[in-house]
Structure formats: structure tokens, C-alpha cells
Amino acid sequence: METNHIKLNLQYISMQIPYWMGFSVLGGFTSVFLLSRDFSNGQIGMILSLANLLAAVCQPFLASFADRMVRVRLSQLAAGMALLLVLFSGILLALPKAFLIVAVIYVLLYASLVLLQPMTISIGTFFISRGYGLNFGVARGLGSLAFAGAASLTGVLIERFSPTIILYLLIGIFLLFAVMALLIDTRKQGGKYSESLLTEHHREGSLEEPIGLIEFTKKYKRFIFLLFGVSLLFVYHTIINSYMFQIMQPLGGTAANAGSSLSIAALSELPTMFLFTWVLRRFKIHSLMRVAAFFFSVKAVLILFAGSIFLINVAQSLQMVGFAMHTMASVYYTNQIIPQKDLIKGQTLMATANTIGGIIGAFVGGQMLSFLSVSAMLMIGTLISLVGTVIVWLSVEK
């Protein structure tokens, strides 16, 4: 059994690493790529917001399908999403200057990236909810390490070659992801990990029929209110990640500086993710959710008043107790609050909250850069983050 657990962890790590490499390449350098294709900041914001909106609309329905599907495995669904990313990247390579087509395909590309995230998380909770020894923190931490490495490398490659290198990287990364996903066993019945190792109560609960989306929102009202606060936190988080290049420019920064800053943020996540199992044994999960929300806003305030690239990088290091803590705590919090029969739906709605924040952040950030200034964008984003922190503190259940 121990050998099976080691193999399971290695298989899951082999999915997390390419996913977060791809997220780093696509999510971190979208503005660099689209600026090279003659898009304005406002148009970039529109494309990102439309991509996140499309993902937000599709996520709940994709989750309901994943909860109920019998013939298709969760890992096969994730592999299919990864192949869509490969397809859309290939189309963008073939049509480098078709402005409208590039915009439409980029929306589909980015939306597919966002939709793949809850699928990847749900594969992890598939095993955790059945009592198997999957260390989500280590897998996610190695994903952040891969994110950091990919961000630094991509920034250098863009300056040495061109932003088009992003598409070649995406094709290779998500082909690898698809292969790794197909190798992991997520059969609900008759598979190596189908049987629950937990109590009889959990086994019986897992056999119940999942409830619909409307019933879910009525039954878990406080959880839905929490998701609203999380969405606001991710407005600012999206602004920072999507427009880091523009934030750096007034301070003399380049694409390489933006990549380095994203790498610092990602590397700072590692201690939290690697040690989260230890942290979880010593602190209540609702307290960790509140701590994470608090440091989202502390980071926002520090970046608002940062007068140099160095100070921005210092603020980025707070990702350790903000984004990283939320990423880990929200998975385990949802796992405790939502029963196994609706767990994919719960995890996906948590990811949808992030996505909705992405819609607002991408759109508002792009428009403010077009009509106002970087400092105005950071000020408004900080205020939204503070409101989100208050809502999370009020809505988290003990």
C-alpha cells in the first residue's frame, strides 16, 4: 500500500508541475504577448475578462458534468482540456497577424487554462476524500517551484527571441500534462483508488446522488457568501499577475524584471505548501482562511506604496501567507464543508470565485491603464481587496 501511495503522489506531482508551468507562461506573459500583436491595454483587459467570464460560466456546468459522469474519467476530462490548449496554441502560431481571430482564439485558450485548474485540484481531492495518502501540499508546492522556474525562463526567452516563444512552450507543456493525466487512475468504480479508506459514514455518503447547482446555492448560503469575498481578493491578485509588466515599466522594469518578480512570488509559496500538513495539525482551518485573506490586503497596500522594483519584490514575498495559504486552506476547507458527493462542485465553485475576480481584475485593470494610471489602478484594487478581506472574515465557518 505504501508503494501505491508513493506512485500516486509522483503521478499527481507530474500533473501539477506542467499545469503551473503552463499557467506561468500563459498567465504571466499575456500582456507581453498581446502587446506584441498590436493590442492596446484596454483590449488586453477585454480579452482577459471575456476569457475569465467564459470560464466562470462554464465551470459550474463542467463541475456538474464531472460529478455525474460515468463513462468518462476525471483524468480523461482534464487531458481533453489540456489538448484544447495545445490546439489553440497551434492555431495562434498559424495565424500570427489576424487580429480578430487572434482575439477570439486567445479568449478560448485562456478560458481553457482557467477551466483546467479546478479539474486538476479535483483529481487531488478525489484521492484525499477517499482517505488515500496524497500530499497535496508537496505536489502544489512543486507546482509553484515549476511556476517560478518557468516565469524566469520565459522572461529571458522572450527577450532573446520573441513573445511567440510562449506558444511553443504551451504546446510542449500541455502535451506533457495530457500524457501524465491519462496515466492516473480516477475510476469511480473498479479502479485502484475507487474504494474509500474512510469510515462507513463516508462510504455511504459517497453513494448519494449529487444535488443540482440551484439546490447547492440554497443549502450552502454561507459558503456562497465566502466565495463572494474570495472573488474580491482575486480582483487585485489578477491585476498584479496580468499587468506586472506595466506596473514595472514606470520604475524602469522590463519583461525579465516582471518574470523575476513573478518567480519571487511563486518561490515564496513553497514553505507554506510543503509544510501545510504540519500547519494544519496546529491551527484551525477557518483561522488559516482568515490569515490568508488578511495578507492578500497587506500585500496590496505594500505594492501601492512601493517606489522601486525591490520593494515590489518584497511585497511579492508575502504570497507565502496570502495566496499560498489561501490556495492550500481553501482546498481543505471546502473538503470539510462540502460532502464527497458534491465535492467536485464545491472545489469548482471555489475556483470559479477566483475566476470571477479574474474577470473584474482583468477588465478593470486594462481600462484603468488606458484611461487613468498605474497608481490609480493599484489604489482601486487595494480598496477592493480590503472589502474582500472583511467579507471572508465574516463568512468563514468554524
Side-chain angles (χ1 to χ4, degrees):
M1 183 63 70
E2 186 64 30
T3 303
N4 282 343
H5 285 177
I6 294 172
K7 181 181 178 182
L8 173 63
N9 277 279
L10 290 175
Q11 287 180 314
Y12 189 61
I13 288 167
S14 71
M15 290 179 60
Q16 283 279 356
I17 285 176
Y19 176 78
W20 288 104
M21 287 176 68
F23 197 99
S24 173
V25 172
L26 183 57
F29 296 93
T30 282
S31 60
V32 177
F33 176 79
L34 291 178
L35 284 171
S36 75
R37 297 294 176 95
D38 300 323
F39 286 81
S40 67
N41 285 318
Q43 289 167 335
I44 293 170
M46 184 66 71
I47 287 172
L48 288 174
S49 59
L50 286 174
N52 281 296
L53 178 60
L54 177 60
V57 170
C58 292
Q59 275 175 334
F61 298 102
L62 188 63
S64 287
F65 171 72
D67 273 327
R68 297 173 187 275
M69 64 186 181
V70 177
R71 294 184 179 180
V72 181
R73 302 178 196 174
L74 185 58
S75 53
Q76 291 173 333
L77 183 61
M81 294 297 303
L83 291 176
L84 281 179
L85 280 151
V86 173
L87 173 64
F88 295 138
S89 298
I91 293 173
L92 287 174
L93 274 175
L95 300 167
K97 293 296 182 182
F99 190 87
L100 182 59
I101 296 176
V102 169
V104 172
I105 297 300
Y106 206 92
V107 166
L108 296 174
L109 176 70
Y110 201 95
S112 298
L113 176 77
V114 175
L115 286 168
L116 185 55
Q117 185 175 342
M119 294 298 102
T120 305
I121 293 172
S122 293
I123 288 172
T125 56
F126 174 92
F127 302 107
I128 293 171
S129 65
R130 286 165 172 78
Y132 290 93
L134 179 74
N135 194 320
F136 183 84
V138 169
R140 182 61 183 82
L142 289 173
S144 288
L145 184 61
F147 181 105
S152 290
L153 179 61
T154 304
V156 172
L157 289 175
I158 287 172
E159 293 199 343
R160 184 169 182 178
F161 299 102
S162 76
T164 304
I165 195 71
I166 289 171
L167 301 176
Y168 291 102
L169 292 172
L170 290 175
I171 290 171
I173 287 168
F174 285 107
L175 278 175
L176 175 62
F177 178 97
V179 171
M180 294 299 103
L182 290 173
L183 292 176
I184 198 165
D185 188 354
T186 56
R187 284 175 288 176
K188 291 181 179 179
Q189 295 179 347
K192 186 185 296 184
Y193 306 105
S194 301
E195 183 183 357
S196 176
L197 302 180
L198 301 177
T199 64
E200 190 66 32
H201 171 75
H202 280 84
R203 287 199 292 270
E204 290 173 358
S206 66
L207 297 175
E208 296 177 18
E209 280 294 312
I211 62 176
L213 282 172
I214 296 175
E215 292 175 79
F216 187 96
T217 57
K218 290 179 179 178
K219 184 174 181 179
Y220 303 105
K221 293 179 181 177
R222 192 163 175 176
F223 182 75
I224 298 300
F225 187 51
L226 169 67
L227 298 183
F228 178 63
V230 170
S231 292
L232 295 181
L233 292 177
F234 272 79
V235 169
Y236 189 83
H237 183 74
T238 301
I239 287 173
I240 293 300
N241 284 342
S242 299
Y243 301 108
M244 179 56 73
F245 177 62
Q246 288 91 329
I247 293 168
M248 290 285 194
Q249 278 185 316
L251 302 174
T254 64
N257 293 131
S260 296
S261 185
L262 293 172
S263 295
I264 289 169
L267 288 171
S268 71
E269 298 171 6
L270 298 181
T272 302
M273 293 178 174
F274 286 146
L275 300 174
F276 191 76
T277 303
W278 178 84
V279 172
L280 197 57
R281 289 198 296 265
R282 287 158 177 78
F283 300 94
K284 300 294 185 183
I285 193 68
H286 71 273
S287 298
L288 298 178
M289 289 287 288
R290 287 176 172 172
V291 167
F294 174 73
F295 277 100
F296 263 92
S297 292
V298 171
K299 176 182 171 181
V301 171
L302 290 179
I303 290 181
L304 174 63
F305 293 107
S308 67
I309 292 174
F310 172 76
L311 291 176
I312 287 177
N313 290 338
V314 169
Q316 287 282 67
S317 68
L318 290 179
Q319 195 115 320
M320 179 188 300
V321 280
F323 173 79
M325 186 70 75
H326 170 82
T327 297
M328 298 304 304
S330 64
V331 170
Y332 285 90
Y333 177 83
T334 304
N335 209 42
Q336 290 183 16
I337 297 296
I338 308 300
Q340 190 180 112
K341 66 187 178 69
D342 293 306
L343 192 54
I344 295 177
K345 200 180 288 94
Q347 294 291 356
T348 302
L349 287 174
M350 180 62 76
T352 302
N354 304 350
T355 305
I356 292 171
I359 296 168
I360 300 169
F363 179 77
V364 170
Q367 298 308 310
M368 285 190 292
L369 284 174
S370 293
F371 298 106
L372 297 174
S373 64
V374 170
S375 59
M377 177 184 72
L378 296 177
M379 172 64 78
I380 294 171
T382 299
L383 292 175
I384 293 172
S385 182
L386 289 168
V387 173
T389 295
V390 172
I391 292 174
V392 169
W393 273 67
L394 293 175
S395 57
V396 165
E397 298 178 51
K398 295 184 179 179

